[in-house]
Amino acid sequence: MTTSTTTTRRGRRLLATGSILALGLSLTACGSSDFIKKQTADAWSVTYEVTVEGKDINRLTEVSYLDAPSRGESSSNVPVGEAVTTNSASNAAKASWTKDVMVTAEADARISATPGKGAKATCRILLDGEREIAAQTGAAGQPVECSATTPAFEKKKK
């Protein structure tokens, strides 16, 4: 084998290796770009609240809500099933259940629950624990559901 043939083979191997390396780096960069977009996406701290009044106020059934597993991801349904409420210190006939989750901006937020037979439930969806974006009261013993699309973040003027 001559020196030029050996050099040609080495050149081809080097070219092939370089091409594979370049392809791998470009695929990694695309993955990194998606990761960065998700990690920097606007997301809200959402509080789901269900307040129960009347008789049989110490538990809820069929509780489920939407939650984003991490920033920038779509929300998915979280079935809780049964949940225990916390009694109100100021009103013995009132109790509540709350859950804080994360929901990406401009995505759906939803909570649903069923109170006991002699109780009526009110649900609320709050942004950052304060700003109400949905509220609904159900009939005694009937399921209640609140849903809303979280707003976009306001863009700051430069």
Short mmCIF file of all heavy atoms in Angstrom, two decimals, residues 6-78:
data_model
loop_
_atom_site.label_atom_id
_atom_site.label_comp_id
_atom_site.label_asym_id
_atom_site.label_seq_id
_atom_site.Cartn_x
_atom_site.Cartn_y
_atom_site.Cartn_z
N THR A 6 -2.86 5.42 1.98
CA THR A 6 -3.01 5.49 3.42
C THR A 6 -3.48 6.88 3.83
O THR A 6 -4.38 7.04 4.67
CB THR A 6 -1.67 5.17 4.12
OG1 THR A 6 -1.24 3.89 3.68
CG2 THR A 6 -1.83 5.15 5.63
N THR A 7 -2.91 7.88 3.24
CA THR A 7 -3.30 9.27 3.54
C THR A 7 -4.74 9.50 3.15
O THR A 7 -5.50 10.14 3.87
CB THR A 7 -2.37 10.25 2.80
OG1 THR A 7 -1.02 9.97 3.16
CG2 THR A 7 -2.71 11.68 3.15
N THR A 8 -5.17 8.96 2.00
CA THR A 8 -6.55 9.13 1.53
C THR A 8 -7.52 8.46 2.50
O THR A 8 -8.55 9.03 2.84
CB THR A 8 -6.71 8.55 0.11
OG1 THR A 8 -5.78 9.18 -0.74
CG2 THR A 8 -8.11 8.77 -0.42
N ARG A 9 -7.19 7.25 2.96
CA ARG A 9 -8.07 6.55 3.91
C ARG A 9 -8.18 7.33 5.22
O ARG A 9 -9.24 7.46 5.79
CB ARG A 9 -7.54 5.14 4.18
CG ARG A 9 -7.82 4.20 3.06
CD ARG A 9 -7.43 2.81 3.44
NE ARG A 9 -7.65 1.92 2.32
CZ ARG A 9 -7.16 0.71 2.23
NH1 ARG A 9 -6.39 0.24 3.19
NH2 ARG A 9 -7.42 -0.04 1.18
N ARG A 10 -7.05 7.80 5.70
CA ARG A 10 -7.06 8.58 6.94
C ARG A 10 -7.90 9.84 6.76
O ARG A 10 -8.64 10.23 7.65
CB ARG A 10 -5.64 8.96 7.35
CG ARG A 10 -4.88 7.83 7.95
CD ARG A 10 -3.53 8.29 8.45
NE ARG A 10 -2.76 7.13 8.87
CZ ARG A 10 -1.45 7.10 8.92
NH1 ARG A 10 -0.74 8.16 8.55
NH2 ARG A 10 -0.83 6.03 9.32
N GLY A 11 -7.77 10.46 5.61
CA GLY A 11 -8.55 11.67 5.33
C GLY A 11 -10.03 11.38 5.31
O GLY A 11 -10.84 12.15 5.84
N ARG A 12 -10.42 10.25 4.72
CA ARG A 12 -11.84 9.89 4.66
C ARG A 12 -12.37 9.59 6.07
O ARG A 12 -13.48 9.98 6.41
CB ARG A 12 -12.05 8.67 3.76
CG ARG A 12 -11.91 9.01 2.30
CD ARG A 12 -12.17 7.80 1.45
NE ARG A 12 -11.91 8.11 0.06
CZ ARG A 12 -11.67 7.20 -0.87
NH1 ARG A 12 -11.66 5.92 -0.55
NH2 ARG A 12 -11.45 7.55 -2.11
N ARG A 13 -11.58 8.86 6.84
CA ARG A 13 -12.00 8.56 8.22
C ARG A 13 -12.14 9.84 9.02
O ARG A 13 -13.08 10.00 9.79
CB ARG A 13 -10.99 7.63 8.89
CG ARG A 13 -11.07 6.22 8.43
CD ARG A 13 -10.11 5.35 9.21
NE ARG A 13 -9.99 4.05 8.56
CZ ARG A 13 -8.95 3.27 8.65
NH1 ARG A 13 -7.90 3.64 9.36
NH2 ARG A 13 -8.94 2.11 8.05
N LEU A 14 -11.18 10.71 8.86
CA LEU A 14 -11.22 11.98 9.57
C LEU A 14 -12.44 12.80 9.16
O LEU A 14 -13.13 13.38 10.00
CB LEU A 14 -9.93 12.77 9.29
CG LEU A 14 -9.61 13.92 10.22
CD1 LEU A 14 -9.58 13.47 11.66
CD2 LEU A 14 -8.28 14.53 9.84
N LEU A 15 -12.73 12.81 7.86
CA LEU A 15 -13.90 13.53 7.35
C LEU A 15 -15.19 12.91 7.89
O LEU A 15 -16.10 13.61 8.33
CB LEU A 15 -13.90 13.53 5.81
CG LEU A 15 -15.07 14.23 5.14
CD1 LEU A 15 -15.07 15.71 5.51
CD2 LEU A 15 -15.00 14.08 3.64
N ALA A 16 -15.28 11.58 7.90
CA ALA A 16 -16.47 10.89 8.41
C ALA A 16 -16.66 11.16 9.89
O ALA A 16 -17.76 11.46 10.37
CB ALA A 16 -16.38 9.39 8.14
N THR A 17 -15.58 11.07 10.64
CA THR A 17 -15.64 11.32 12.08
C THR A 17 -16.06 12.76 12.35
O THR A 17 -16.91 13.02 13.21
CB THR A 17 -14.28 11.03 12.73
OG1 THR A 17 -13.92 9.68 12.46
CG2 THR A 17 -14.33 11.25 14.23
N GLY A 18 -15.51 13.69 11.62
CA GLY A 18 -15.86 15.10 11.77
C GLY A 18 -17.32 15.36 11.45
O GLY A 18 -18.00 16.12 12.13
N SER A 19 -17.82 14.70 10.39
CA SER A 19 -19.22 14.87 10.01
C SER A 19 -20.16 14.34 11.09
O SER A 19 -21.16 14.96 11.43
CB SER A 19 -19.51 14.14 8.69
OG SER A 19 -18.75 14.71 7.66
N ILE A 20 -19.83 13.18 11.64
CA ILE A 20 -20.65 12.60 12.70
C ILE A 20 -20.62 13.49 13.94
O ILE A 20 -21.65 13.76 14.57
CB ILE A 20 -20.17 11.16 13.04
CG1 ILE A 20 -20.50 10.24 11.86
CG2 ILE A 20 -20.80 10.65 14.33
CD1 ILE A 20 -19.86 8.87 11.95
N LEU A 21 -19.45 13.98 14.27
CA LEU A 21 -19.32 14.88 15.42
C LEU A 21 -20.12 16.16 15.22
O LEU A 21 -20.83 16.61 16.12
CB LEU A 21 -17.84 15.21 15.64
CG LEU A 21 -17.51 16.06 16.86
CD1 LEU A 21 -17.99 15.38 18.14
CD2 LEU A 21 -16.02 16.31 16.93
N ALA A 22 -20.06 16.73 14.02
CA ALA A 22 -20.82 17.95 13.72
C ALA A 22 -22.32 17.70 13.81
O ALA A 22 -23.07 18.51 14.34
CB ALA A 22 -20.45 18.48 12.34
N LEU A 23 -22.78 16.56 13.31
CA LEU A 23 -24.19 16.20 13.38
C LEU A 23 -24.62 16.06 14.84
O LEU A 23 -25.66 16.58 15.25
CB LEU A 23 -24.46 14.90 12.61
CG LEU A 23 -25.89 14.37 12.67
CD1 LEU A 23 -26.85 15.37 12.05
CD2 LEU A 23 -25.98 13.03 11.98
N GLY A 24 -23.82 15.38 15.64
CA GLY A 24 -24.14 15.21 17.06
C GLY A 24 -24.23 16.54 17.79
O GLY A 24 -25.12 16.77 18.59
N LEU A 25 -23.30 17.44 17.51
CA LEU A 25 -23.32 18.74 18.14
C LEU A 25 -24.55 19.55 17.74
O LEU A 25 -25.15 20.23 18.55
CB LEU A 25 -22.04 19.52 17.81
CG LEU A 25 -20.78 19.04 18.52
CD1 LEU A 25 -19.57 19.81 17.98
CD2 LEU A 25 -20.90 19.21 20.01
N SER A 26 -24.93 19.47 16.47
CA SER A 26 -26.11 20.23 16.03
C SER A 26 -27.38 19.67 16.66
O SER A 26 -28.27 20.41 17.04
CB SER A 26 -26.21 20.26 14.51
OG SER A 26 -26.50 18.98 14.00
N LEU A 27 -27.46 18.34 16.81
CA LEU A 27 -28.63 17.76 17.46
C LEU A 27 -28.67 18.13 18.94
O LEU A 27 -29.73 18.42 19.50
CB LEU A 27 -28.63 16.23 17.30
CG LEU A 27 -28.89 15.72 15.89
CD1 LEU A 27 -28.72 14.20 15.85
CD2 LEU A 27 -30.26 16.12 15.39
N THR A 28 -27.53 18.16 19.58
CA THR A 28 -27.46 18.56 20.98
C THR A 28 -27.86 20.02 21.13
O THR A 28 -28.56 20.38 22.06
CB THR A 28 -26.03 18.34 21.52
OG1 THR A 28 -25.70 16.96 21.35
CG2 THR A 28 -25.93 18.71 22.98
N ALA A 29 -27.45 20.85 20.22
CA ALA A 29 -27.80 22.27 20.28
C ALA A 29 -29.30 22.46 20.15
O ALA A 29 -29.89 23.30 20.85
CB ALA A 29 -27.07 23.05 19.19
N CYS A 30 -29.95 21.68 19.28
CA CYS A 30 -31.41 21.78 19.16
C CYS A 30 -32.08 21.37 20.46
O CYS A 30 -33.01 22.01 20.92
CB CYS A 30 -31.92 20.89 18.02
SG CYS A 30 -31.47 21.49 16.39
N GLY A 31 -31.61 20.30 21.07
CA GLY A 31 -32.16 19.85 22.34
C GLY A 31 -31.93 20.89 23.42
O GLY A 31 -32.79 21.15 24.25
N SER A 32 -30.77 21.49 23.43
CA SER A 32 -30.46 22.53 24.42
C SER A 32 -31.37 23.73 24.23
O SER A 32 -31.81 24.34 25.19
CB SER A 32 -29.01 22.98 24.29
OG SER A 32 -28.16 21.91 24.61
N SER A 33 -31.64 24.08 22.99
CA SER A 33 -32.51 25.21 22.70
C SER A 33 -33.91 24.98 23.26
O SER A 33 -34.48 25.86 23.89
CB SER A 33 -32.58 25.44 21.19
OG SER A 33 -33.50 26.45 20.88
N ASP A 34 -34.47 23.78 23.06
CA ASP A 34 -35.79 23.45 23.60
C ASP A 34 -35.76 23.48 25.12
O ASP A 34 -36.68 23.97 25.76
CB ASP A 34 -36.25 22.07 23.12
CG ASP A 34 -36.64 22.08 21.65
OD1 ASP A 34 -36.85 23.17 21.08
OD2 ASP A 34 -36.71 20.98 21.07
N PHE A 35 -34.69 22.95 25.70
CA PHE A 35 -34.56 22.93 27.15
C PHE A 35 -34.53 24.35 27.70
O PHE A 35 -35.21 24.66 28.67
CB PHE A 35 -33.27 22.18 27.54
CG PHE A 35 -33.00 22.18 29.02
CD1 PHE A 35 -33.69 21.32 29.86
CD2 PHE A 35 -32.06 23.04 29.56
CE1 PHE A 35 -33.45 21.33 31.23
CE2 PHE A 35 -31.82 23.05 30.93
CZ PHE A 35 -32.51 22.19 31.76
N ILE A 36 -33.77 25.22 27.07
CA ILE A 36 -33.66 26.61 27.52
C ILE A 36 -35.01 27.32 27.39
O ILE A 36 -35.42 28.04 28.29
CB ILE A 36 -32.55 27.35 26.75
CG1 ILE A 36 -31.19 26.81 27.18
CG2 ILE A 36 -32.62 28.86 26.98
CD1 ILE A 36 -30.03 27.26 26.33
N LYS A 37 -35.72 27.08 26.28
CA LYS A 37 -37.04 27.70 26.09
C LYS A 37 -37.99 27.29 27.20
O LYS A 37 -38.73 28.12 27.75
CB LYS A 37 -37.63 27.32 24.74
CG LYS A 37 -37.03 28.06 23.58
CD LYS A 37 -37.66 27.61 22.27
CE LYS A 37 -36.97 28.23 21.08
NZ LYS A 37 -37.52 27.73 19.82
N LYS A 38 -37.99 26.00 27.55
CA LYS A 38 -38.89 25.53 28.60
C LYS A 38 -38.51 26.11 29.96
O LYS A 38 -39.37 26.52 30.73
CB LYS A 38 -38.86 23.99 28.68
CG LYS A 38 -39.62 23.33 27.57
CD LYS A 38 -39.61 21.84 27.73
CE LYS A 38 -40.41 21.17 26.64
NZ LYS A 38 -40.44 19.71 26.80
N GLN A 39 -37.22 26.15 30.25
CA GLN A 39 -36.76 26.62 31.55
C GLN A 39 -36.96 28.13 31.74
O GLN A 39 -36.97 28.61 32.86
CB GLN A 39 -35.29 26.25 31.78
CG GLN A 39 -35.07 24.76 31.88
CD GLN A 39 -35.94 24.11 32.95
OE1 GLN A 39 -35.93 24.52 34.09
NE2 GLN A 39 -36.69 23.11 32.57
N THR A 40 -37.10 28.86 30.65
CA THR A 40 -37.30 30.30 30.76
C THR A 40 -38.72 30.72 30.41
O THR A 40 -39.01 31.92 30.34
CB THR A 40 -36.29 31.06 29.85
OG1 THR A 40 -36.49 30.64 28.50
CG2 THR A 40 -34.86 30.80 30.29
N ALA A 41 -39.61 29.75 30.19
CA ALA A 41 -41.00 30.06 29.86
C ALA A 41 -41.69 30.72 31.04
O ALA A 41 -41.38 30.44 32.20
CB ALA A 41 -41.74 28.78 29.47
N ASP A 42 -42.62 31.61 30.74
CA ASP A 42 -43.41 32.25 31.78
C ASP A 42 -44.35 31.21 32.40
O ASP A 42 -45.00 30.44 31.68
CB ASP A 42 -44.25 33.39 31.20
CG ASP A 42 -43.39 34.57 30.76
OD1 ASP A 42 -42.27 34.72 31.28
OD2 ASP A 42 -43.85 35.35 29.90
N ALA A 43 -44.41 31.17 33.71
CA ALA A 43 -45.28 30.24 34.42
C ALA A 43 -45.85 30.92 35.65
O ALA A 43 -45.20 31.76 36.27
CB ALA A 43 -44.52 28.98 34.81
N TRP A 44 -47.07 30.56 35.98
CA TRP A 44 -47.76 31.12 37.13
C TRP A 44 -47.74 30.15 38.30
O TRP A 44 -47.85 28.94 38.11
CB TRP A 44 -49.22 31.40 36.78
CG TRP A 44 -49.43 32.53 35.83
CD1 TRP A 44 -49.67 32.44 34.49
CD2 TRP A 44 -49.44 33.92 36.14
NE1 TRP A 44 -49.82 33.69 33.96
CE2 TRP A 44 -49.68 34.63 34.96
CE3 TRP A 44 -49.25 34.64 37.32
CZ2 TRP A 44 -49.75 36.01 34.90
CZ3 TRP A 44 -49.33 36.03 37.27
CH2 TRP A 44 -49.57 36.69 36.07
N SER A 45 -47.68 30.70 39.50
CA SER A 45 -47.96 29.93 40.69
C SER A 45 -49.48 29.98 40.83
O SER A 45 -50.06 31.05 40.97
CB SER A 45 -47.30 30.57 41.91
OG SER A 45 -47.76 29.94 43.08
N VAL A 46 -50.12 28.83 40.74
CA VAL A 46 -51.58 28.75 40.79
C VAL A 46 -52.00 28.07 42.08
O VAL A 46 -51.44 27.04 42.46
CB VAL A 46 -52.12 27.97 39.57
CG1 VAL A 46 -53.60 27.66 39.72
CG2 VAL A 46 -51.87 28.74 38.28
N THR A 47 -52.97 28.67 42.76
CA THR A 47 -53.56 28.06 43.96
C THR A 47 -54.97 27.63 43.61
O THR A 47 -55.79 28.44 43.15
CB THR A 47 -53.60 29.05 45.14
OG1 THR A 47 -52.26 29.46 45.44
CG2 THR A 47 -54.23 28.41 46.37
N TYR A 48 -55.23 26.34 43.80
CA TYR A 48 -56.58 25.82 43.67
C TYR A 48 -57.16 25.77 45.08
O TYR A 48 -56.52 25.28 46.01
CB TYR A 48 -56.58 24.41 43.09
CG TYR A 48 -56.08 24.32 41.67
CD1 TYR A 48 -54.99 23.52 41.33
CD2 TYR A 48 -56.72 25.02 40.64
CE1 TYR A 48 -54.55 23.42 40.03
CE2 TYR A 48 -56.28 24.93 39.33
CZ TYR A 48 -55.19 24.13 39.04
OH TYR A 48 -54.76 24.03 37.74
N GLU A 49 -58.38 26.28 45.23
CA GLU A 49 -59.01 26.33 46.55
C GLU A 49 -60.44 25.82 46.42
O GLU A 49 -61.18 26.23 45.52
CB GLU A 49 -59.01 27.78 47.04
CG GLU A 49 -59.73 27.99 48.34
CD GLU A 49 -59.79 29.48 48.67
OE1 GLU A 49 -58.86 29.97 49.31
OE2 GLU A 49 -60.78 30.12 48.26
N VAL A 50 -60.82 24.91 47.31
CA VAL A 50 -62.21 24.44 47.38
C VAL A 50 -62.67 24.64 48.82
O VAL A 50 -62.07 24.12 49.75
CB VAL A 50 -62.34 22.95 46.98
CG1 VAL A 50 -63.80 22.51 47.07
CG2 VAL A 50 -61.79 22.70 45.58
N THR A 51 -63.73 25.44 48.97
CA THR A 51 -64.31 25.72 50.29
C THR A 51 -65.65 25.00 50.37
O THR A 51 -66.44 25.03 49.42
CB THR A 51 -64.52 27.24 50.48
OG1 THR A 51 -63.25 27.88 50.30
CG2 THR A 51 -65.06 27.54 51.86
N VAL A 52 -65.88 24.34 51.49
CA VAL A 52 -67.09 23.55 51.68
C VAL A 52 -67.86 24.11 52.87
O VAL A 52 -67.28 24.41 53.91
CB VAL A 52 -66.74 22.07 51.94
CG1 VAL A 52 -67.97 21.20 51.95
CG2 VAL A 52 -65.75 21.55 50.91
N GLU A 53 -69.19 24.26 52.69
CA GLU A 53 -70.06 24.78 53.75
C GLU A 53 -71.26 23.86 53.92
O GLU A 53 -71.75 23.29 52.95
CB GLU A 53 -70.55 26.18 53.41
CG GLU A 53 -69.44 27.21 53.35
CD GLU A 53 -69.97 28.60 53.07
OE1 GLU A 53 -70.52 29.21 54.01
OE2 GLU A 53 -69.85 29.05 51.92
N GLY A 54 -71.74 23.75 55.16
CA GLY A 54 -72.92 22.94 55.44
C GLY A 54 -72.56 21.75 56.31
O GLY A 54 -71.72 21.85 57.20
N LYS A 55 -73.19 20.61 56.02
CA LYS A 55 -72.92 19.36 56.75
C LYS A 55 -71.91 18.54 55.95
O LYS A 55 -71.74 18.73 54.75
CB LYS A 55 -74.22 18.58 56.92
CG LYS A 55 -75.28 19.30 57.71
CD LYS A 55 -76.54 18.48 57.76
CE LYS A 55 -77.62 19.25 58.51
NZ LYS A 55 -78.87 18.51 58.55
N ASP A 56 -71.26 17.61 56.60
CA ASP A 56 -70.30 16.70 55.95
C ASP A 56 -69.23 17.49 55.18
O ASP A 56 -69.05 17.31 53.97
CB ASP A 56 -71.04 15.73 55.03
CG ASP A 56 -70.15 14.57 54.60
OD1 ASP A 56 -69.05 14.39 55.16
OD2 ASP A 56 -70.55 13.86 53.65
N ILE A 57 -68.54 18.37 55.90
CA ILE A 57 -67.57 19.26 55.27
C ILE A 57 -66.12 18.79 55.36
O ILE A 57 -65.22 19.44 54.85
CB ILE A 57 -67.65 20.68 55.88
CG1 ILE A 57 -67.32 20.64 57.37
CG2 ILE A 57 -69.02 21.30 55.61
CD1 ILE A 57 -67.15 22.00 58.00
N ASN A 58 -65.89 17.64 56.00
CA ASN A 58 -64.51 17.23 56.28
C ASN A 58 -63.81 16.45 55.17
O ASN A 58 -62.65 16.07 55.33
CB ASN A 58 -64.44 16.45 57.59
CG ASN A 58 -64.78 17.36 58.76
OD1 ASN A 58 -64.42 18.54 58.76
ND2 ASN A 58 -65.48 16.83 59.76
N ARG A 59 -64.48 16.22 54.06
CA ARG A 59 -63.81 15.53 52.97
C ARG A 59 -64.43 15.89 51.63
O ARG A 59 -65.60 16.28 51.55
CB ARG A 59 -63.81 14.02 53.16
CG ARG A 59 -65.15 13.38 52.99
CD ARG A 59 -65.09 11.87 53.24
NE ARG A 59 -66.39 11.30 53.02
CZ ARG A 59 -66.80 10.79 51.87
NH1 ARG A 59 -65.99 10.76 50.85
NH2 ARG A 59 -68.01 10.29 51.75
N LEU A 60 -63.63 15.77 50.62
CA LEU A 60 -64.06 15.94 49.23
C LEU A 60 -63.75 14.64 48.50
O LEU A 60 -62.80 13.94 48.85
CB LEU A 60 -63.27 17.08 48.56
CG LEU A 60 -63.47 18.48 49.13
CD1 LEU A 60 -62.38 19.42 48.63
CD2 LEU A 60 -64.85 19.00 48.75
N THR A 61 -64.53 14.35 47.48
CA THR A 61 -64.24 13.18 46.64
C THR A 61 -64.09 13.63 45.19
O THR A 61 -64.43 14.77 44.85
CB THR A 61 -65.36 12.12 46.74
OG1 THR A 61 -66.60 12.72 46.33
CG2 THR A 61 -65.50 11.58 48.17
N GLU A 62 -63.59 12.75 44.39
CA GLU A 62 -63.41 13.01 42.95
C GLU A 62 -62.63 14.30 42.68
O GLU A 62 -62.92 15.04 41.75
CB GLU A 62 -64.76 13.03 42.23
CG GLU A 62 -65.53 11.73 42.37
CD GLU A 62 -66.93 11.82 41.80
OE1 GLU A 62 -67.18 12.67 40.92
OE2 GLU A 62 -67.78 11.03 42.24
N VAL A 63 -61.63 14.57 43.51
CA VAL A 63 -60.80 15.76 43.35
C VAL A 63 -59.77 15.51 42.25
O VAL A 63 -59.12 14.46 42.23
CB VAL A 63 -60.07 16.12 44.66
CG1 VAL A 63 -59.15 17.32 44.46
CG2 VAL A 63 -61.06 16.36 45.78
N SER A 64 -59.66 16.46 41.34
CA SER A 64 -58.61 16.40 40.32
C SER A 64 -58.28 17.83 39.89
O SER A 64 -59.11 18.73 40.03
CB SER A 64 -59.02 15.56 39.11
OG SER A 64 -60.08 16.16 38.41
N TYR A 65 -57.06 18.02 39.39
CA TYR A 65 -56.63 19.35 38.96
C TYR A 65 -55.57 19.22 37.87
O TYR A 65 -55.00 18.14 37.66
CB TYR A 65 -56.11 20.16 40.14
CG TYR A 65 -54.95 19.53 40.88
CD1 TYR A 65 -53.64 19.74 40.46
CD2 TYR A 65 -55.16 18.72 41.99
CE1 TYR A 65 -52.58 19.16 41.13
CE2 TYR A 65 -54.11 18.15 42.65
CZ TYR A 65 -52.82 18.36 42.23
OH TYR A 65 -51.77 17.78 42.88
N LEU A 66 -55.31 20.33 37.20
CA LEU A 66 -54.25 20.38 36.18
C LEU A 66 -52.99 20.97 36.79
O LEU A 66 -53.06 21.93 37.57
CB LEU A 66 -54.68 21.24 34.99
CG LEU A 66 -55.80 20.67 34.12
CD1 LEU A 66 -56.15 21.67 33.00
CD2 LEU A 66 -55.42 19.33 33.52
N ASP A 67 -51.85 20.39 36.42
CA ASP A 67 -50.55 20.84 36.93
C ASP A 67 -49.50 20.58 35.85
O ASP A 67 -49.54 19.55 35.17
CB ASP A 67 -50.20 20.04 38.19
CG ASP A 67 -48.89 20.44 38.83
OD1 ASP A 67 -48.38 21.54 38.56
OD2 ASP A 67 -48.37 19.63 39.63
N ALA A 68 -48.59 21.53 35.68
CA ALA A 68 -47.46 21.34 34.77
C ALA A 68 -46.34 20.63 35.53
O ALA A 68 -45.96 21.09 36.61
CB ALA A 68 -46.96 22.68 34.23
N PRO A 69 -45.82 19.52 35.00
CA PRO A 69 -44.76 18.80 35.71
C PRO A 69 -43.51 19.66 35.95
O PRO A 69 -42.84 19.51 36.94
CB PRO A 69 -44.43 17.63 34.81
CG PRO A 69 -45.44 17.60 33.73
CD PRO A 69 -46.18 18.89 33.75
N SER A 70 -43.24 20.57 35.01
CA SER A 70 -42.14 21.52 35.20
C SER A 70 -42.38 22.72 34.29
O SER A 70 -43.23 22.69 33.40
CB SER A 70 -40.78 20.88 34.92
OG SER A 70 -40.70 20.44 33.59
N ARG A 71 -41.65 23.76 34.53
CA ARG A 71 -41.81 25.03 33.81
C ARG A 71 -41.78 24.79 32.30
O ARG A 71 -40.94 24.08 31.78
CB ARG A 71 -40.68 25.97 34.21
CG ARG A 71 -40.72 27.31 33.53
CD ARG A 71 -39.59 28.18 34.02
NE ARG A 71 -39.75 28.60 35.40
CZ ARG A 71 -40.49 29.63 35.79
NH1 ARG A 71 -41.13 30.36 34.91
NH2 ARG A 71 -40.58 29.94 37.05
N GLY A 72 -42.73 25.43 31.60
CA GLY A 72 -42.77 25.38 30.16
C GLY A 72 -43.43 24.16 29.56
O GLY A 72 -43.57 24.05 28.35
N GLU A 73 -43.87 23.23 30.39
CA GLU A 73 -44.51 22.03 29.88
C GLU A 73 -46.03 22.15 29.96
O GLU A 73 -46.56 22.93 30.73
CB GLU A 73 -44.04 20.80 30.67
CG GLU A 73 -42.58 20.51 30.43
CD GLU A 73 -42.15 19.18 31.01
OE1 GLU A 73 -43.01 18.32 31.28
OE2 GLU A 73 -40.94 19.01 31.21
N SER A 74 -46.70 21.35 29.17
CA SER A 74 -48.17 21.33 29.17
C SER A 74 -48.67 20.75 30.49
O SER A 74 -48.04 19.86 31.06
CB SER A 74 -48.69 20.48 28.02
OG SER A 74 -48.30 21.03 26.80
N SER A 75 -49.80 21.24 30.93
CA SER A 75 -50.40 20.72 32.15
C SER A 75 -51.02 19.36 31.89
O SER A 75 -51.50 19.09 30.79
CB SER A 75 -51.48 21.68 32.66
OG SER A 75 -50.91 22.90 33.06
N SER A 76 -51.04 18.54 32.91
CA SER A 76 -51.70 17.25 32.81
C SER A 76 -52.60 17.07 34.03
O SER A 76 -52.41 17.70 35.07
CB SER A 76 -50.68 16.11 32.72
OG SER A 76 -49.82 16.14 33.84
N ASN A 77 -53.59 16.20 33.88
CA ASN A 77 -54.57 15.97 34.94
C ASN A 77 -53.93 15.17 36.08
O ASN A 77 -53.25 14.18 35.85
CB ASN A 77 -55.77 15.21 34.38
CG ASN A 77 -56.88 15.14 35.40
OD1 ASN A 77 -57.32 16.14 35.95
ND2 ASN A 77 -57.35 13.93 35.67
N VAL A 78 -54.15 15.63 37.31
CA VAL A 78 -53.68 14.94 38.50
C VAL A 78 -54.92 14.48 39.28
O VAL A 78 -55.61 15.30 39.89
CB VAL A 78 -52.81 15.86 39.39
CG1 VAL A 78 -52.38 15.13 40.65
CG2 VAL A 78 -51.62 16.40 38.62
#
